Amino acid sequence: MELSNDTKLGILTAICMLGSVIVFKNVLHITPPFIASYGSAGIFILYIILKYSIEEFNEDILYRGRSIAFYYGLTIIFATLATIILYAFF
């Protein structure tokens, strides 16, 4: 049984949110800001809202064999890492 793209992105979002909270509380010793706690969830919600229009667009252009959910996953990871790095150094 293979997981759907929605399920994979949901799991990735949960892992990123949990990871960012752990880093903020245990490594940086600060209270996680709102954007760090819910930024990746916002990207996931955006994917769910725009999913049907993206699927129609994804049928026209195959993105070199990858679905658009792959790029949303990369965006979630990048947003989480960028937030952690910005709060660590600034």
Side-chain angles (χ1 to χ4, degrees):
M1 182 173 114
E2 187 170 333
L3 299 174
S4 68
N5 288 337
D6 297 347
T7 307
K8 290 176 188 176
L9 279 179
I11 292 169
L12 177 68
T13 302
I15 290 170
C16 286
M17 289 176 67
L18 181 65
S20 68
V21 169
I22 289 172
V23 168
F24 278 114
K25 285 194 174 202
N26 296 329
V27 177
L28 300 177
H29 303 290
I30 61 172
T31 303
F34 180 80
I35 189 73
S37 299
Y38 299 107
S40 55
I43 297 171
F44 178 67
I45 291 170
L46 183 68
Y47 169 76
I48 295 297
I49 291 171
L50 299 175
K51 178 173 63 172
Y52 296 108
S53 62
I54 290 170
E55 286 176 356
E56 293 172 4
F57 183 70
N58 198 20
E59 292 174 359
D60 296 335
I61 302 172
L62 288 177
Y63 294 105
R64 297 182 184 156
R66 300 191 191 271
S67 69
I68 196 72
F70 173 77
Y71 296 106
Y72 268 90
L74 286 179
T75 305
I76 290 170
I77 293 170
F78 176 73
T80 303
L81 291 176
T83 306
I84 290 171
I85 289 170
L86 286 174
Y87 275 95
F89 291 113
F90 297 111

